[in-house]
Amino acid sequence: MADNAARNTGAGRVLDHAEEQGAPSPFGRGVGVLIKTSNLKLVGVIQEIKAQALSMAIKQPLKVGISVSVEFGSECRNGEIISCRRTGSTYETCIVMENRKAADRRLDERFPVTQEVSILADSLGYQTNALVVDLSRQGMGLEIPTPLKLKETVAIETASNEAFGIVRHCKELPGGNYHAGVEIFNVMPKEPGESSRKPSVLERLFPIT
């Protein structure tokens, strides 16, 4: 019903466009953010990252068409609720970021997040930890203590996913760490309850000798 309401408003065209953007990214799933309306605050948990929008799970419904702000730690983005429907005990809510509406729709929105991951690459020779600092539908920005080679394939593991990507850029940051941009081309969700200690995709494809 809420979806039908969205399509009968100006936001409907935005929703139609967002749904045509291809497969969303499962990276970022489970990351919590703070959602604010004019009269309440509630926690949202990211479910999917789309080209121009975020899919969230929240505990109470929000009205389609209202403006909200989404806080990613110290950074805040404004957006609009374009759909909200009950799914089990939560509400699946889609938010389009305000700055995307007037922007070039060929570009994916980058969302600032903080998520710990493990990385393996031929140039490393060992598994190392990294921090995801931004996510889009097709890639991520990483802060990593060791540089990565341009165009090399890397394997990335989170608590819920294992993925492969190609390093598109890597530059040194003040303080000695590096910022790497990785284009993701394949993501494989882990099975529920899968042990993080069993041989992972990273360990199978990049064996440490």
Side-chain angles (χ1 to χ4, degrees):
M1 183 174 180
D3 284 337
N4 290 333
R7 296 185 191 282
N8 292 329
T9 69
R13 291 188 299 274
V14 179
L15 177 60
D16 290 336
H17 185 81
E19 289 176 344
E20 295 170 357
Q21 295 307 297
S25 171
F27 267 100
R29 183 180 178 89
V31 174
V33 297
L34 182 63
I35 302 173
K36 293 182 179 180
T37 71
S38 60
N39 57 5
L40 64 84
K41 299 178 182 179
L42 68 160
V43 174
V45 179
I46 296 175
Q47 300 299 297
E48 293 176 343
I49 294 177
K50 303 182 181 181
Q52 302 149 26
L54 285 176
S55 176
M56 302 271 196
I58 58 177
K59 288 293 187 180
Q60 64 188 84
L62 292 176
K63 186 178 179 180
V64 169
I66 68 169
S67 297
V68 297
S69 63
V70 182
E71 291 188 1
F72 304 84
S74 61
E75 188 168 341
C76 183
R77 303 279 182 88
N78 295 322
E80 179 184 335
I81 303 294
I82 61 170
S83 68
C84 186
R85 60 186 177 189
R86 191 180 185 94
T87 303
S89 61
T90 62
Y91 291 85
E92 182 182 335
T93 304
C94 188
I95 304 175
V96 168
M97 298 297 110
E98 186 177 87
N99 61 320
R100 293 303 305 163
K101 295 178 183 179
D104 185 348
R105 296 189 183 279
R106 294 174 297 177
L107 302 176
D108 285 346
E109 177 80 2
R110 292 184 180 182
F111 298 99
V113 302
T114 301
Q115 186 177 23
E116 293 184 353
V117 296
S118 296
I119 293 182
L120 272 176
D122 281 336
S123 65
L124 294 177
Y126 58 89
Q127 183 170 322
T128 188
N129 294 327
L131 192 67
V132 179
V133 294
D134 64 69
L135 282 171
S136 70
R137 180 174 58 99
Q138 297 180 326
M140 63 177 63
L142 298 170
E143 186 170 325
I144 185 171
T146 306
L148 297 171
K149 289 184 178 180
L150 296 183
K151 298 184 180 180
E152 76 170 329
T153 299
V154 296
I156 303 167
E157 182 175 9
T158 70
S160 57
N161 296 292
E162 294 173 315
F164 300 102
I166 298 174
V167 179
R168 294 306 185 189
H169 63 81
C170 187
K171 64 180 181 179
E172 188 171 5
L173 298 170
N177 283 347
Y178 294 81
H179 181 272
V182 178
E183 180 183 353
I184 301 299
F185 62 82
N186 190 35
V187 178
M188 294 174 290
K190 292 181 179 178
E191 294 295 327
E194 180 178 340
S195 171
S196 61
R197 302 311 305 164
K198 68 181 289 187
S200 65
V201 169
L202 277 68
E203 293 164 333
R204 295 194 296 271
L205 295 180
F206 297 89
I208 300 173
T209 57

